Amino acid sequence: MRAHTRTSFAVTALLCAAVAAGATACGPSSEDAKPAGPFAGLTGSEIADKAFAATAAAKSLTVDVDTTSEGERTRAYVSFDSTGKCAGTVTTGTAATTELIRVDRKNVYMRFDEASLNEQAKGESPEVREAMLKTLKGRWVEMAASEPEAKDAMEMCDAKTLLGGFEQGATGIVRGGETTVGGQKALTLTEPDGDGGTSTVYVATEGTPYVLRIVTKGGTEPETITFTRYGKPVTAKAPAAKDIADLD
């Protein structure tokens, strides 16, 4: 069952939905037999359980997302770790980009490019638009991580949250063939996504059985999510005080 995570933060809502949707690659299909090869003796559903559990427990990783929802494309590249560090970018449409930084679990920083600011200022008066650009262009916005907007923006910075829609013990995920993803050997797991498309999950067959990629084709929300840099350090440094907007 595919599950969508909805947030009130406009820039990141589509991303959170995309990752949560792709992470739920489990649904009705024919259960496979107990085959040999990688993950010998395990069904597709059992392998999926292991893969998503391993990914959720990773100390750090990077997600690269390209998804289309309701005709709008969203791309993101975000790295995060289990200590609370997170850094990356989210781009909606053709050019509206937001940068995200979280150094710890106390404060969140966001910086919007001009295209993103213009998008958010739609419907406002010329005076308000000018004030937004003057105050925010090139500067970071700082807010407490406990604020609802910050929580929504940073949902993508936690593997357990991103994979929260995955149903442990789901049946019907079908084992496929072996392939490679980014030079790593992988096993494919497939299922209909319930939206007229098909989701394929690529699981590492060597070392920890991490999810390497999720691809959904067809349906109304095609997407590709690639998981990389497992265990790599995440660089997240708070902006200098002079670069933070004075919202007062």
Side-chain angles (χ1 to χ4, degrees):
M1 177 182 298
R2 289 165 63 86
H4 292 266
T5 300
R6 301 298 181 187
T7 74
S8 61
F9 184 61
V11 176
T12 61
L14 291 177
L15 173 66
C16 297
V19 178
T24 57
C26 46
S29 183
S30 57
E31 184 68 17
D32 41 10
K34 303 277 187 178
F39 306 107
L42 298 181
T43 66
S45 298
E46 290 168 335
I47 297 169
D49 279 353
K50 291 175 64 69
F52 283 102
T55 300
K59 297 297 183 183
S60 63
L61 69 152
T62 295
V63 291
D64 189 344
V65 180
D66 190 340
T67 183
T68 300
S69 179
E70 299 181 353
E72 184 173 54
R73 185 184 183 190
T74 299
R75 289 156 291 159
Y77 189 82
V78 180
S79 300
F80 56 89
D81 65 21
S82 58
T83 70
K85 289 182 180 179
C86 181
T89 61
V90 179
T91 300
T92 56
T94 58
T97 299
T98 300
E99 298 172 75
L100 306 171
I101 294 177
R102 186 178 67 189
V103 178
D104 49 33
R105 300 190 185 278
K106 296 180 180 179
N107 297 302
V108 168
Y109 304 91
M110 290 179 282
R111 182 164 64 180
F112 310 95
D113 69 359
E114 187 168 352
S116 182
L117 289 172
N118 283 327
E119 182 69 23
Q120 295 182 54
K122 280 185 177 179
E124 300 290 352
S125 67
E127 293 78 15
V128 170
R129 293 170 65 92
E130 182 180 354
M132 284 184 63
L133 287 171
K134 182 178 180 180
T135 302
L136 299 178
K137 185 177 179 180
R139 293 187 174 89
W140 294 86
V141 175
E142 179 182 11
M143 64 180 66
S146 58
E147 293 187 25
E149 294 85 356
K151 287 182 178 180
D152 289 342
M154 293 295 153
E155 280 193 356
M156 73 189 74
C157 299
D158 179 78
K160 292 181 180 179
T161 299
L162 294 179
L163 302 176
F166 176 70
E167 181 183 351
Q168 289 288 321
T171 60
I173 301 175
V174 179
R175 290 178 58 129
E178 296 179 55
T179 185
T180 58
V181 176
Q184 293 182 264
K185 293 182 179 180
L187 180 72
T188 60
L189 306 173
T190 61
E191 67 134 1
D193 70 358
D195 192 31
T198 300
S199 291
T200 302
V201 181
Y202 298 80
V203 180
T205 59
E206 296 180 341
T208 305
Y210 290 129
V211 176
L212 300 179
R213 181 171 293 161
I214 300 172
V215 178
T216 299
K217 295 182 178 180
T220 60
E221 296 185 358
E223 63 196 7
T224 298
I225 308 169
T226 303
F227 301 77
T228 59
R229 296 184 57 79
Y230 282 100
K232 301 296 183 181
V234 174
T235 301
K237 183 179 180 181
K242 65 181 180 63
D243 296 325
I244 299 175
D246 182 1
L247 299 183
D248 292 335

PDB file of all heavy atoms in Angstrom, residues 183-202:
ATOM      1  N   GLY A 183      27.003   1.111  -9.523  1.00  0.00           N
ATOM      2  CA  GLY A 183      28.141   0.222  -9.346  1.00  0.00           C
ATOM      3  C   GLY A 183      27.962  -0.830  -8.270  1.00  0.00           C
ATOM      4  O   GLY A 183      28.844  -1.670  -8.070  1.00  0.00           O
ATOM      5  N   GLN A 184      26.833  -0.814  -7.552  1.00  0.00           N
ATOM      6  CA  GLN A 184      26.566  -1.795  -6.512  1.00  0.00           C
ATOM      7  C   GLN A 184      25.597  -2.854  -7.013  1.00  0.00           C
ATOM      8  O   GLN A 184      24.607  -2.543  -7.701  1.00  0.00           O
ATOM      9  CB  GLN A 184      25.962  -1.119  -5.272  1.00  0.00           C
ATOM     10  CG  GLN A 184      26.909  -0.187  -4.542  1.00  0.00           C
ATOM     11  CD  GLN A 184      26.240   0.403  -3.312  1.00  0.00           C
ATOM     12  OE1 GLN A 184      25.699   1.508  -3.344  1.00  0.00           O
ATOM     13  NE2 GLN A 184      26.273  -0.330  -2.218  1.00  0.00           N
ATOM     14  N   LYS A 185      25.865  -4.100  -6.660  1.00  0.00           N
ATOM     15  CA  LYS A 185      24.978  -5.180  -7.053  1.00  0.00           C
ATOM     16  C   LYS A 185      23.652  -5.059  -6.298  1.00  0.00           C
ATOM     17  O   LYS A 185      23.646  -4.732  -5.112  1.00  0.00           O
ATOM     18  CB  LYS A 185      25.629  -6.534  -6.762  1.00  0.00           C
ATOM     19  CG  LYS A 185      26.853  -6.816  -7.626  1.00  0.00           C
ATOM     20  CD  LYS A 185      27.424  -8.193  -7.336  1.00  0.00           C
ATOM     21  CE  LYS A 185      28.631  -8.483  -8.227  1.00  0.00           C
ATOM     22  NZ  LYS A 185      29.205  -9.834  -7.946  1.00  0.00           N
ATOM     23  N   ALA A 186      22.566  -5.316  -7.013  1.00  0.00           N
ATOM     24  CA  ALA A 186      21.252  -5.135  -6.403  1.00  0.00           C
ATOM     25  C   ALA A 186      20.266  -6.189  -6.898  1.00  0.00           C
ATOM     26  O   ALA A 186      20.406  -6.731  -7.996  1.00  0.00           O
ATOM     27  CB  ALA A 186      20.708  -3.742  -6.719  1.00  0.00           C
ATOM     28  N   LEU A 187      19.272  -6.456  -6.070  1.00  0.00           N
ATOM     29  CA  LEU A 187      18.159  -7.323  -6.421  1.00  0.00           C
ATOM     30  C   LEU A 187      16.922  -6.463  -6.577  1.00  0.00           C
ATOM     31  O   LEU A 187      16.690  -5.549  -5.777  1.00  0.00           O
ATOM     32  CB  LEU A 187      17.927  -8.375  -5.330  1.00  0.00           C
ATOM     33  CG  LEU A 187      16.780  -9.359  -5.576  1.00  0.00           C
ATOM     34  CD1 LEU A 187      17.163 -10.341  -6.690  1.00  0.00           C
ATOM     35  CD2 LEU A 187      16.438 -10.121  -4.299  1.00  0.00           C
ATOM     36  N   THR A 188      16.106  -6.729  -7.592  1.00  0.00           N
ATOM     37  CA  THR A 188      14.899  -5.945  -7.806  1.00  0.00           C
ATOM     38  C   THR A 188      13.695  -6.599  -7.152  1.00  0.00           C
ATOM     39  O   THR A 188      13.549  -7.818  -7.154  1.00  0.00           O
ATOM     40  CB  THR A 188      14.618  -5.755  -9.307  1.00  0.00           C
ATOM     41  OG1 THR A 188      14.437  -7.047  -9.922  1.00  0.00           O
ATOM     42  CG2 THR A 188      15.757  -5.021  -9.979  1.00  0.00           C
ATOM     43  N   LEU A 189      12.834  -5.764  -6.587  1.00  0.00           N
ATOM     44  CA  LEU A 189      11.557  -6.183  -6.019  1.00  0.00           C
ATOM     45  C   LEU A 189      10.488  -5.322  -6.671  1.00  0.00           C
ATOM     46  O   LEU A 189      10.630  -4.099  -6.723  1.00  0.00           O
ATOM     47  CB  LEU A 189      11.537  -5.966  -4.502  1.00  0.00           C
ATOM     48  CG  LEU A 189      12.664  -6.585  -3.683  1.00  0.00           C
ATOM     49  CD1 LEU A 189      12.564  -6.128  -2.224  1.00  0.00           C
ATOM     50  CD2 LEU A 189      12.624  -8.101  -3.764  1.00  0.00           C
ATOM     51  N   THR A 190       9.407  -5.927  -7.163  1.00  0.00           N
ATOM     52  CA  THR A 190       8.398  -5.152  -7.882  1.00  0.00           C
ATOM     53  C   THR A 190       6.998  -5.406  -7.340  1.00  0.00           C
ATOM     54  O   THR A 190       6.718  -6.441  -6.741  1.00  0.00           O
ATOM     55  CB  THR A 190       8.405  -5.492  -9.381  1.00  0.00           C
ATOM     56  OG1 THR A 190       8.100  -6.887  -9.546  1.00  0.00           O
ATOM     57  CG2 THR A 190       9.753  -5.189 -10.005  1.00  0.00           C
ATOM     58  N   GLU A 191       6.133  -4.415  -7.598  1.00  0.00           N
ATOM     59  CA  GLU A 191       4.714  -4.533  -7.250  1.00  0.00           C
ATOM     60  C   GLU A 191       3.915  -3.459  -7.964  1.00  0.00           C
ATOM     61  O   GLU A 191       4.438  -2.379  -8.247  1.00  0.00           O
ATOM     62  CB  GLU A 191       4.504  -4.379  -5.739  1.00  0.00           C
ATOM     63  CG  GLU A 191       4.813  -2.999  -5.217  1.00  0.00           C
ATOM     64  CD  GLU A 191       3.737  -2.461  -4.280  1.00  0.00           C
ATOM     65  OE1 GLU A 191       2.750  -3.151  -4.014  1.00  0.00           O
ATOM     66  OE2 GLU A 191       3.905  -1.334  -3.824  1.00  0.00           O
ATOM     67  N   PRO A 192       2.646  -3.718  -8.273  1.00  0.00           N
ATOM     68  CA  PRO A 192       1.769  -2.639  -8.759  1.00  0.00           C
ATOM     69  C   PRO A 192       1.595  -1.626  -7.640  1.00  0.00           C
ATOM     70  O   PRO A 192       1.491  -1.987  -6.475  1.00  0.00           O
ATOM     71  CB  PRO A 192       0.453  -3.376  -9.066  1.00  0.00           C
ATOM     72  CG  PRO A 192       0.828  -4.809  -9.191  1.00  0.00           C
ATOM     73  CD  PRO A 192       1.963  -5.015  -8.245  1.00  0.00           C
ATOM     74  N   ASP A 193       1.573  -0.323  -8.001  1.00  0.00           N
ATOM     75  CA  ASP A 193       1.510   0.690  -6.951  1.00  0.00           C
ATOM     76  C   ASP A 193       0.100   1.135  -6.609  1.00  0.00           C
ATOM     77  O   ASP A 193      -0.093   2.036  -5.803  1.00  0.00           O
ATOM     78  CB  ASP A 193       2.372   1.907  -7.311  1.00  0.00           C
ATOM     79  CG  ASP A 193       1.778   2.709  -8.471  1.00  0.00           C
ATOM     80  OD1 ASP A 193       0.736   2.306  -9.015  1.00  0.00           O
ATOM     81  OD2 ASP A 193       2.366   3.747  -8.814  1.00  0.00           O
ATOM     82  N   GLY A 194      -0.917   0.522  -7.239  1.00  0.00           N
ATOM     83  CA  GLY A 194      -2.293   0.880  -6.918  1.00  0.00           C
ATOM     84  C   GLY A 194      -2.767   2.135  -7.610  1.00  0.00           C
ATOM     85  O   GLY A 194      -3.898   2.576  -7.423  1.00  0.00           O
ATOM     86  N   ASP A 195      -1.897   2.745  -8.439  1.00  0.00           N
ATOM     87  CA  ASP A 195      -2.234   3.993  -9.110  1.00  0.00           C
ATOM     88  C   ASP A 195      -2.052   3.845 -10.621  1.00  0.00           C
ATOM     89  O   ASP A 195      -1.850   4.820 -11.320  1.00  0.00           O
ATOM     90  CB  ASP A 195      -1.345   5.120  -8.569  1.00  0.00           C
ATOM     91  CG  ASP A 195      -1.826   6.493  -9.007  1.00  0.00           C
ATOM     92  OD1 ASP A 195      -3.042   6.669  -9.191  1.00  0.00           O
ATOM     93  OD2 ASP A 195      -0.971   7.383  -9.173  1.00  0.00           O
ATOM     94  N   GLY A 196      -2.094   2.606 -11.068  1.00  0.00           N
ATOM     95  CA  GLY A 196      -1.914   2.351 -12.488  1.00  0.00           C
ATOM     96  C   GLY A 196      -0.478   2.212 -12.909  1.00  0.00           C
ATOM     97  O   GLY A 196      -0.192   2.046 -14.100  1.00  0.00           O
ATOM     98  N   GLY A 197       0.454   2.286 -11.977  1.00  0.00           N
ATOM     99  CA  GLY A 197       1.871   2.174 -12.289  1.00  0.00           C
ATOM    100  C   GLY A 197       2.502   0.980 -11.602  1.00  0.00           C
ATOM    101  O   GLY A 197       1.818   0.155 -10.996  1.00  0.00           O
ATOM    102  N   THR A 198       3.809   0.896 -11.700  1.00  0.00           N
ATOM    103  CA  THR A 198       4.567  -0.192 -11.073  1.00  0.00           C
ATOM    104  C   THR A 198       5.760   0.386 -10.329  1.00  0.00           C
ATOM    105  O   THR A 198       6.475   1.245 -10.864  1.00  0.00           O
ATOM    106  CB  THR A 198       5.073  -1.184 -12.133  1.00  0.00           C
ATOM    107  OG1 THR A 198       3.960  -1.741 -12.833  1.00  0.00           O
ATOM    108  CG2 THR A 198       5.848  -2.317 -11.471  1.00  0.00           C
ATOM    109  N   SER A 199       5.977  -0.072  -9.107  1.00  0.00           N
ATOM    110  CA  SER A 199       7.126   0.369  -8.308  1.00  0.00           C
ATOM    111  C   SER A 199       8.168  -0.739  -8.271  1.00  0.00           C
ATOM    112  O   SER A 199       7.837  -1.908  -8.077  1.00  0.00           O
ATOM    113  CB  SER A 199       6.692   0.721  -6.882  1.00  0.00           C
ATOM    114  OG  SER A 199       5.896   1.879  -6.871  1.00  0.00           O
ATOM    115  N   THR A 200       9.422  -0.358  -8.453  1.00  0.00           N
ATOM    116  CA  THR A 200      10.534  -1.302  -8.361  1.00  0.00           C
ATOM    117  C   THR A 200      11.510  -0.801  -7.311  1.00  0.00           C
ATOM    118  O   THR A 200      11.944   0.352  -7.358  1.00  0.00           O
ATOM    119  CB  THR A 200      11.263  -1.440  -9.712  1.00  0.00           C
ATOM    120  OG1 THR A 200      10.333  -1.861 -10.720  1.00  0.00           O
ATOM    121  CG2 THR A 200      12.387  -2.460  -9.613  1.00  0.00           C
ATOM    122  N   VAL A 201      11.835  -1.655  -6.360  1.00  0.00           N
ATOM    123  CA  VAL A 201      12.795  -1.335  -5.305  1.00  0.00           C
ATOM    124  C   VAL A 201      14.076  -2.120  -5.574  1.00  0.00           C
ATOM    125  O   VAL A 201      14.030  -3.325  -5.836  1.00  0.00           O
ATOM    126  CB  VAL A 201      12.246  -1.704  -3.912  1.00  0.00           C
ATOM    127  CG1 VAL A 201      13.263  -1.342  -2.828  1.00  0.00           C
ATOM    128  CG2 VAL A 201      10.926  -1.006  -3.655  1.00  0.00           C
ATOM    129  N   TYR A 202      15.206  -1.428  -5.522  1.00  0.00           N
ATOM    130  CA  TYR A 202      16.502  -2.053  -5.744  1.00  0.00           C
ATOM    131  C   TYR A 202      17.213  -2.165  -4.403  1.00  0.00           C
ATOM    132  O   TYR A 202      17.461  -1.153  -3.742  1.00  0.00           O
ATOM    133  CB  TYR A 202      17.338  -1.218  -6.717  1.00  0.00           C
ATOM    134  CG  TYR A 202      16.714  -1.098  -8.100  1.00  0.00           C
ATOM    135  CD1 TYR A 202      15.688  -0.172  -8.328  1.00  0.00           C
ATOM    136  CD2 TYR A 202      17.137  -1.897  -9.151  1.00  0.00           C
ATOM    137  CE1 TYR A 202      15.111  -0.060  -9.586  1.00  0.00           C
ATOM    138  CE2 TYR A 202      16.561  -1.790 -10.413  1.00  0.00           C
ATOM    139  CZ  TYR A 202      15.549  -0.869 -10.625  1.00  0.00           C
ATOM    140  OH  TYR A 202      14.973  -0.761 -11.866  1.00  0.00           O
TER     141      TYR A 202
END
